[in-house]
Amino acid sequence: MRIFSGSAHPRLAEGIGRHLGIELGRIVLGHFPDSETKVQVLDDVRGREAFVVQSLCRPVNESLMELLIIVDALRRASASSICAVIPYFAYARQDRKHAGRVPITAKLVANLITTSGVNRVLTMDLHASQIQGFFDIPVDHLYAAPVHIEYLMKRGLEKPVILAPDIGGVKMAGAFAKRLGGDLAILQKERMNDHEVRCGHVIGEIEGRDVVIVDDVISTASTASEATKVVRANGAKRIIVLATHGILAESAFARLSEAAPDEIVLTDTIPMGNPPKNLPLTVLSVAGLLGDAVIRIHRNQSVSSLFL
Ligand code: R5P
């Protein structure tokens, strides 16, 4: 087998390769003078299984197009099968028609990836797990939770409460509560626009408790920062904001600094920009988890033991 990295997040791909003791395949990535994406796979892949690691992170469309082109190159070079390893699957929040005349872009992206020649997708913490059904090829959907839980176990949380910042997050928060032996709480949240949310009541008892606000993604950090403020106003003792994907768009760092949770825990599915030095940020690596899944897929073994 060979593992190739797109240009979105080579550090994570190297981490996966290191975990497996495999050197990444050689590939040239760049642009033609007119800005078209240019790809050349340098290693022979004929008859081999190929894995392409590409998070769909900023610039999202560039990362997506590059993935499609790499897959096309591998298919034409006679790879026996191609697995797209997509730690962060962008466009996942556009998964339904919430208003008239809007697209379902998550489905379009799934179609594009399948059409390019991918045989299998390995991804992590999709915004909605039903997105797996947008593909007619196998999708292995991992959760970063084992990495998160292992970390939280060491934090000495007392009587933790796991808070879902919206109804959509209840399943994820519930799984954390079960694993950590904590209680579940739910926040009432209303999205005002793409940049702002308004948080209302907390359903559940959080006064004097260590609260972990669990989400799949932090984008503008408007959810995380507003949730932190409400949780603090309700008397929480310690506040940990935790998510898998740290997009950290726009003024996310400023919002988090202002809201000042005691800790922010993310994973490295997306490369981290330049967080302010005083931000209490911990980034956990999911390279090992992805690497374990890659090797199991290669050996035709079950990957479900890696799930929560
Ligand atoms: C919403 O359904 C998601 O799970 C996140 O809560 C949301 O997308 C985070 O976005 P932001 O950081 O911009 O509030």
Side-chain angles (χ1 to χ4, degrees), residues 93 127 166 189 191 197 215-223:
R93 289 177 290 172
H127 175 62
D166 49 43
K189 170 178 132 181
R191 182 161 286 284
V197 301
D215 213 341
D216 57 323
V217 52
I218 296 181
S219 181
T220 64
S222 116
T223 301

PDB file of all heavy atoms in Angstrom, residues 93 127 166 189 191 197 215-223, ligand 1:
ATOM      1  N   ARG A  93     -22.226  20.661   6.991  1.00  0.00           N
ATOM      2  CA  ARG A  93     -23.350  21.353   7.621  1.00  0.00           C
ATOM      3  C   ARG A  93     -24.394  21.775   6.583  1.00  0.00           C
ATOM      4  O   ARG A  93     -25.457  22.241   6.943  1.00  0.00           O
ATOM      5  CB  ARG A  93     -22.828  22.549   8.432  1.00  0.00           C
ATOM      6  CG  ARG A  93     -22.083  22.088   9.697  1.00  0.00           C
ATOM      7  CD  ARG A  93     -21.487  23.220  10.478  1.00  0.00           C
ATOM      8  NE  ARG A  93     -20.373  23.831   9.777  1.00  0.00           N
ATOM      9  CZ  ARG A  93     -19.769  24.948  10.162  1.00  0.00           C
ATOM     10  NH1 ARG A  93     -20.188  25.570  11.237  1.00  0.00           N
ATOM     11  NH2 ARG A  93     -18.751  25.422   9.481  1.00  0.00           N
ATOM     12  N   HIS A 127     -20.461  16.010  10.703  1.00  0.00           N
ATOM     13  CA  HIS A 127     -21.431  16.851  11.407  1.00  0.00           C
ATOM     14  C   HIS A 127     -22.725  16.063  11.673  1.00  0.00           C
ATOM     15  O   HIS A 127     -23.333  16.186  12.744  1.00  0.00           O
ATOM     16  CB  HIS A 127     -21.723  18.117  10.594  1.00  0.00           C
ATOM     17  CG  HIS A 127     -22.788  18.946  11.195  1.00  0.00           C
ATOM     18  ND1 HIS A 127     -22.666  19.511  12.445  1.00  0.00           N
ATOM     19  CD2 HIS A 127     -24.019  19.281  10.763  1.00  0.00           C
ATOM     20  CE1 HIS A 127     -23.774  20.165  12.740  1.00  0.00           C
ATOM     21  NE2 HIS A 127     -24.608  20.034  11.733  1.00  0.00           N
ATOM     22  N   ASP A 166     -26.404  22.414  21.527  1.00  0.00           N
ATOM     23  CA  ASP A 166     -27.655  22.502  20.769  1.00  0.00           C
ATOM     24  C   ASP A 166     -28.247  21.097  20.686  1.00  0.00           C
ATOM     25  O   ASP A 166     -27.587  20.113  21.040  1.00  0.00           O
ATOM     26  CB  ASP A 166     -27.446  23.108  19.369  1.00  0.00           C
ATOM     27  CG  ASP A 166     -26.291  22.465  18.618  1.00  0.00           C
ATOM     28  OD1 ASP A 166     -26.178  21.222  18.671  1.00  0.00           O
ATOM     29  OD2 ASP A 166     -25.496  23.192  17.989  1.00  0.00           O
ATOM     30  N   LYS A 189     -30.211  26.925  21.996  1.00  0.00           N
ATOM     31  CA  LYS A 189     -29.417  27.792  21.104  1.00  0.00           C
ATOM     32  C   LYS A 189     -30.231  28.163  19.876  1.00  0.00           C
ATOM     33  O   LYS A 189     -30.926  27.338  19.301  1.00  0.00           O
ATOM     34  CB  LYS A 189     -28.132  27.048  20.682  1.00  0.00           C
ATOM     35  CG  LYS A 189     -27.331  27.712  19.578  1.00  0.00           C
ATOM     36  CD  LYS A 189     -26.068  26.922  19.269  1.00  0.00           C
ATOM     37  CE  LYS A 189     -25.892  26.697  17.785  1.00  0.00           C
ATOM     38  NZ  LYS A 189     -24.700  25.914  17.425  1.00  0.00           N
ATOM     39  N   ARG A 191     -29.650  30.113  16.143  1.00  0.00           N
ATOM     40  CA  ARG A 191     -28.671  30.742  15.242  1.00  0.00           C
ATOM     41  C   ARG A 191     -29.292  31.968  14.597  1.00  0.00           C
ATOM     42  O   ARG A 191     -30.343  31.891  13.969  1.00  0.00           O
ATOM     43  CB  ARG A 191     -28.200  29.738  14.179  1.00  0.00           C
ATOM     44  CG  ARG A 191     -27.156  30.318  13.245  1.00  0.00           C
ATOM     45  CD  ARG A 191     -26.362  29.274  12.500  1.00  0.00           C
ATOM     46  NE  ARG A 191     -25.375  28.572  13.318  1.00  0.00           N
ATOM     47  CZ  ARG A 191     -24.217  29.087  13.702  1.00  0.00           C
ATOM     48  NH1 ARG A 191     -23.890  30.321  13.373  1.00  0.00           N
ATOM     49  NH2 ARG A 191     -23.377  28.384  14.429  1.00  0.00           N
ATOM     50  N   VAL A 197     -24.792  33.327  17.251  1.00  0.00           N
ATOM     51  CA  VAL A 197     -25.860  32.520  17.852  1.00  0.00           C
ATOM     52  C   VAL A 197     -26.304  33.211  19.139  1.00  0.00           C
ATOM     53  O   VAL A 197     -25.577  34.056  19.680  1.00  0.00           O
ATOM     54  CB  VAL A 197     -25.385  31.077  18.195  1.00  0.00           C
ATOM     55  CG1 VAL A 197     -24.896  30.349  16.967  1.00  0.00           C
ATOM     56  CG2 VAL A 197     -24.334  31.078  19.292  1.00  0.00           C
ATOM     57  N   ASP A 215     -18.725  19.650  21.204  1.00  0.00           N
ATOM     58  CA  ASP A 215     -19.271  19.945  19.876  1.00  0.00           C
ATOM     59  C   ASP A 215     -18.431  19.238  18.823  1.00  0.00           C
ATOM     60  O   ASP A 215     -17.289  18.853  19.072  1.00  0.00           O
ATOM     61  CB  ASP A 215     -19.256  21.464  19.636  1.00  0.00           C
ATOM     62  CG  ASP A 215     -20.438  21.915  18.775  1.00  0.00           C
ATOM     63  OD1 ASP A 215     -21.026  21.070  18.088  1.00  0.00           O
ATOM     64  OD2 ASP A 215     -20.745  23.116  18.795  1.00  0.00           O
ATOM     65  N   ASP A 216     -18.982  19.087  17.627  1.00  0.00           N
ATOM     66  CA  ASP A 216     -18.193  18.472  16.560  1.00  0.00           C
ATOM     67  C   ASP A 216     -17.204  19.480  15.983  1.00  0.00           C
ATOM     68  O   ASP A 216     -16.088  19.137  15.617  1.00  0.00           O
ATOM     69  CB  ASP A 216     -19.092  17.897  15.448  1.00  0.00           C
ATOM     70  CG  ASP A 216     -20.013  18.921  14.820  1.00  0.00           C
ATOM     71  OD1 ASP A 216     -20.508  19.803  15.553  1.00  0.00           O
ATOM     72  OD2 ASP A 216     -20.250  18.865  13.600  1.00  0.00           O
ATOM     73  N   VAL A 217     -17.600  20.746  15.925  1.00  0.00           N
ATOM     74  CA  VAL A 217     -16.778  21.729  15.232  1.00  0.00           C
ATOM     75  C   VAL A 217     -16.862  23.094  15.915  1.00  0.00           C
ATOM     76  O   VAL A 217     -17.900  23.468  16.445  1.00  0.00           O
ATOM     77  CB  VAL A 217     -17.210  21.806  13.739  1.00  0.00           C
ATOM     78  CG1 VAL A 217     -18.676  22.026  13.575  1.00  0.00           C
ATOM     79  CG2 VAL A 217     -16.483  22.880  12.982  1.00  0.00           C
ATOM     80  N   ILE A 218     -15.740  23.794  15.915  1.00  0.00           N
ATOM     81  CA  ILE A 218     -15.753  25.203  16.308  1.00  0.00           C
ATOM     82  C   ILE A 218     -15.369  25.984  15.060  1.00  0.00           C
ATOM     83  O   ILE A 218     -14.267  25.845  14.543  1.00  0.00           O
ATOM     84  CB  ILE A 218     -14.763  25.502  17.455  1.00  0.00           C
ATOM     85  CG1 ILE A 218     -15.183  24.737  18.720  1.00  0.00           C
ATOM     86  CG2 ILE A 218     -14.693  27.003  17.732  1.00  0.00           C
ATOM     87  CD1 ILE A 218     -14.291  24.988  19.918  1.00  0.00           C
ATOM     88  N   SER A 219     -16.301  26.788  14.578  1.00  0.00           N
ATOM     89  CA  SER A 219     -16.020  27.571  13.372  1.00  0.00           C
ATOM     90  C   SER A 219     -15.762  29.017  13.763  1.00  0.00           C
ATOM     91  O   SER A 219     -14.631  29.419  14.010  1.00  0.00           O
ATOM     92  CB  SER A 219     -17.182  27.433  12.388  1.00  0.00           C
ATOM     93  OG  SER A 219     -16.912  28.163  11.223  1.00  0.00           O
ATOM     94  N   THR A 220     -16.809  29.822  13.865  1.00  0.00           N
ATOM     95  CA  THR A 220     -16.597  31.210  14.296  1.00  0.00           C
ATOM     96  C   THR A 220     -16.411  31.290  15.810  1.00  0.00           C
ATOM     97  O   THR A 220     -16.100  32.349  16.339  1.00  0.00           O
ATOM     98  CB  THR A 220     -17.812  32.074  13.936  1.00  0.00           C
ATOM     99  OG1 THR A 220     -18.949  31.599  14.677  1.00  0.00           O
ATOM    100  CG2 THR A 220     -18.116  32.029  12.453  1.00  0.00           C
ATOM    101  N   ALA A 221     -16.662  30.176  16.492  1.00  0.00           N
ATOM    102  CA  ALA A 221     -16.608  30.097  17.972  1.00  0.00           C
ATOM    103  C   ALA A 221     -17.739  30.879  18.619  1.00  0.00           C
ATOM    104  O   ALA A 221     -17.707  31.136  19.825  1.00  0.00           O
ATOM    105  CB  ALA A 221     -15.257  30.537  18.525  1.00  0.00           C
ATOM    106  N   SER A 222     -18.740  31.236  17.822  1.00  0.00           N
ATOM    107  CA  SER A 222     -19.841  31.955  18.442  1.00  0.00           C
ATOM    108  C   SER A 222     -20.617  31.014  19.368  1.00  0.00           C
ATOM    109  O   SER A 222     -21.001  31.388  20.482  1.00  0.00           O
ATOM    110  CB  SER A 222     -20.670  32.625  17.345  1.00  0.00           C
ATOM    111  OG  SER A 222     -21.925  32.132  17.291  1.00  0.00           O
ATOM    112  N   THR A 223     -20.799  29.751  18.942  1.00  0.00           N
ATOM    113  CA  THR A 223     -21.472  28.774  19.822  1.00  0.00           C
ATOM    114  C   THR A 223     -20.653  28.551  21.098  1.00  0.00           C
ATOM    115  O   THR A 223     -21.186  28.648  22.213  1.00  0.00           O
ATOM    116  CB  THR A 223     -21.632  27.423  19.074  1.00  0.00           C
ATOM    117  OG1 THR A 223     -22.405  27.641  17.894  1.00  0.00           O
ATOM    118  CG2 THR A 223     -22.300  26.384  19.948  1.00  0.00           C
TER     119      THR A 223
HETATM  120  C1  R5P B   1     -23.874  23.213  14.797  1.00  0.00           C
HETATM  121  O1  R5P B   1     -24.806  22.490  14.522  1.00  0.00           O
HETATM  122  C2  R5P B   1     -22.490  22.708  14.996  1.00  0.00           C
HETATM  123  O2  R5P B   1     -22.483  21.507  15.715  1.00  0.00           O
HETATM  124  C3  R5P B   1     -21.627  23.739  15.701  1.00  0.00           C
HETATM  125  O3  R5P B   1     -22.186  24.016  16.956  1.00  0.00           O
HETATM  126  C4  R5P B   1     -21.521  24.998  14.919  1.00  0.00           C
HETATM  127  O4  R5P B   1     -21.431  24.756  13.552  1.00  0.00           O
HETATM  128  C5  R5P B   1     -20.325  25.793  15.390  1.00  0.00           C
HETATM  129  O5  R5P B   1     -20.236  26.946  14.623  1.00  0.00           O
HETATM  130  P1  R5P B   1     -19.712  28.305  15.261  1.00  0.00           P
HETATM  131  O6  R5P B   1     -18.401  28.014  15.912  1.00  0.00           O
HETATM  132  O7  R5P B   1     -19.591  29.230  14.088  1.00  0.00           O
HETATM  133  O8  R5P B   1     -20.763  28.758  16.236  1.00  0.00           O
END
